[in-house]
Amino acid sequence: MDEILAHLAHIAPYAVGLSLPVFLLGGWLLHALRHRSLTTSMTVLILIPLVATFAGAVGISGFMFTPTLTITLLVCLLVAAVTVPMAVLLGRGIAKRTVWEREARARERAAEASRRELVAWISHDLRTPLAGIRAMAEALSDGVVAAPVEVRDYGFRIGAESVRLNAMVEDLFELSKITAGALKLTMTPVALREVIEEAVSASHPAASRKGVHLVTEPGASPVVSASTPELSRVLRNLLANAIRHTPPSGSVVVRAGQTEREAWLSVDDACGGIPEAELSRVFEVAFRGTPARTPDHGHQPAGAGLGLAIARGLVEAHKGRINARNHGPGCRFELRIPLPH
């Protein structure tokens, strides 16, 4: 035991004296590479003790390449040949997980912010029609309004506000199904021309009231595998958004076509364009944009900011995609759905 301690006391200064600078240099190198990839840091972290062991062994041998030193160096090289590739693989795996966790946290924060914004928008939008309904109901019950013409007018306005509230509730219910993954689709072969005709017919009264020209340009009529009610709702939401933001005498144009693998459908409006910074946000829940877009001049009440979010959710449920870009005097909203094999 005494011999081992004596031997340890003899080699310790050489081992520490030569390995300590390696560790210090490695610490500085890790600090310098702190902004590089995690794989690089893991590789350096693995190499530091190996190089330190190598330096200590060389120093203890007195820089004489004895058989013992040769074996020690070979062991270090073999260990490095195994550990460095493992460090690279582990570093990449940890980096991917870290990136995924960071993105998941970012998505969670964005979803929470979107939920708060949605609650704020919906609270405001529900409060306005409810306050109007309450005021008109109180006026009728107190006898403030008694003339038959005024009573009928109040009844009509109460009914209109009730319809608006019901539409908001339906949108919220639809959005909750989409976000919860509870949406059930019954897929059948559907011709886009039929979907366009139905949606344009349903949207025509709103366009006429505002003086907007609703145009359907003839084109291909591809057949897709889709759920007809949901696909029709997507187009109706796009048309409602386009009509709302198109000034009187403007035009909303619907087109359809197909490529080798996809069917596409586009809606062009005359909204005046969307700021580039906001184009990526138009499909977010409760996002309504800024006053930079052409106002609706009071012809149609602003929506709750759910229509485009619902449209995106329904298109993605069909394994498709939807986007928006500035085009001509306004914007083009385009959805693409895979053609059946």
Side-chain angles (χ1 to χ4, degrees):
M1 185 66 180
D2 293 338
E3 184 179 353
I4 294 175
L5 291 176
H7 192 59
L8 180 63
H10 175 71
I11 65 174
Y14 296 98
V16 174
L18 290 170
S19 61
L20 184 59
V22 175
F23 278 106
L24 294 176
L25 179 62
W28 174 84
L29 189 59
L30 283 174
H31 178 75
L33 297 174
R34 64 187 184 278
H35 298 302
R36 301 293 295 273
S37 67
L38 186 59
T39 302
T40 302
S41 298
M42 287 285 292
T43 304
V44 173
L45 193 61
I46 291 294
L47 287 175
I48 289 173
L50 288 175
V51 175
T53 303
F54 177 84
V58 171
I60 293 169
S61 69
F63 298 94
M64 300 293 292
F65 283 87
T66 62
T68 302
L69 177 60
T70 302
I71 293 173
T72 302
L73 296 181
L74 288 175
V75 170
C76 289
L77 289 175
L78 289 173
V79 171
V82 173
T83 56
V84 171
M86 291 300 298
V88 172
L89 292 176
L90 288 174
R92 289 178 178 176
I94 295 173
K96 288 180 180 178
R97 187 172 66 229
T98 302
V99 171
W100 180 85
E101 291 174 350
R102 188 183 300 118
E103 291 177 347
R105 288 193 296 270
R107 287 194 299 268
E108 185 177 350
R109 287 194 296 268
E112 181 61 29
S114 180
R115 283 192 292 269
R116 289 196 298 267
E117 188 177 7
L118 173 61
V119 170
W121 278 115
I122 292 300
S123 298
H124 175 271
D125 286 345
L126 291 177
R127 190 182 300 116
T128 301
L130 284 174
I133 290 174
R134 179 179 178 181
M136 288 184 286
E138 290 177 351
L140 290 172
S141 63
D142 293 341
V144 176
V145 176
V149 175
E150 293 180 338
V151 170
R152 284 196 300 271
D153 179 62
Y154 271 47
F156 174 79
R157 289 161 64 183
I158 289 174
E161 293 295 344
S162 300
V163 170
R164 182 181 171 193
L165 285 172
N166 184 67
M168 289 185 188
V169 173
E170 288 184 355
D171 282 349
L172 284 172
F173 180 64
E174 188 75 17
L175 188 62
S176 68
K177 288 196 299 182
I178 292 172
T179 55
L183 186 66
K184 304 296 183 183
L185 299 179
T186 302
M187 311 296 275
T188 58
V190 180
L192 281 189
R193 185 183 301 278
E194 296 177 2
V195 175
I196 293 172
E197 290 175 354
E198 187 274 333
V200 169
S201 178
S203 304
H204 198 271
S208 298
R209 284 195 300 270
K210 193 175 178 183
V212 172
H213 303 293
L214 201 51
V215 181
T216 303
E217 291 193 355
S221 180
V223 175
V224 297
S225 179
S227 175
T228 304
E230 278 72 24
L231 192 57
S232 296
R233 178 160 192 174
V234 170
L235 184 52
R236 289 198 304 270
N237 285 2
L238 294 180
L239 289 173
N241 178 75
I243 293 169
R244 179 179 297 115
H245 294 289
T246 297
S249 300
S251 296
V252 172
V253 183
V254 184
R255 298 180 178 89
Q258 68 180 80
T259 62
E260 291 184 1
R261 298 182 180 180
E262 295 176 318
W264 59 268
L265 189 154
S266 68
V267 176
D268 293 358
D269 61 32
C271 69
I274 301 176
E276 292 295 330
E278 296 181 358
L279 274 174
S280 61
R281 299 190 58 202
V282 293
F283 295 102
E284 293 181 9
V285 173
F287 181 75
R288 296 178 178 177
T290 65
R293 299 183 71 181
T294 302
D296 58 17
H297 303 285
H299 289 269
Q300 197 173 357
L306 304 181
L308 293 180
I310 291 172
R312 180 180 63 178
L314 294 177
V315 170
E316 291 177 350
H318 285 82
K319 309 300 182 185
R321 63 187 191 276
I322 188 170
N323 63 73
R325 66 179 186 272
N326 290 322
H327 178 78
C331 304
R332 169 171 290 181
F333 289 81
E334 184 177 87
L335 64 92
R336 290 179 176 267
I337 298 177
L339 291 170
H341 297 294

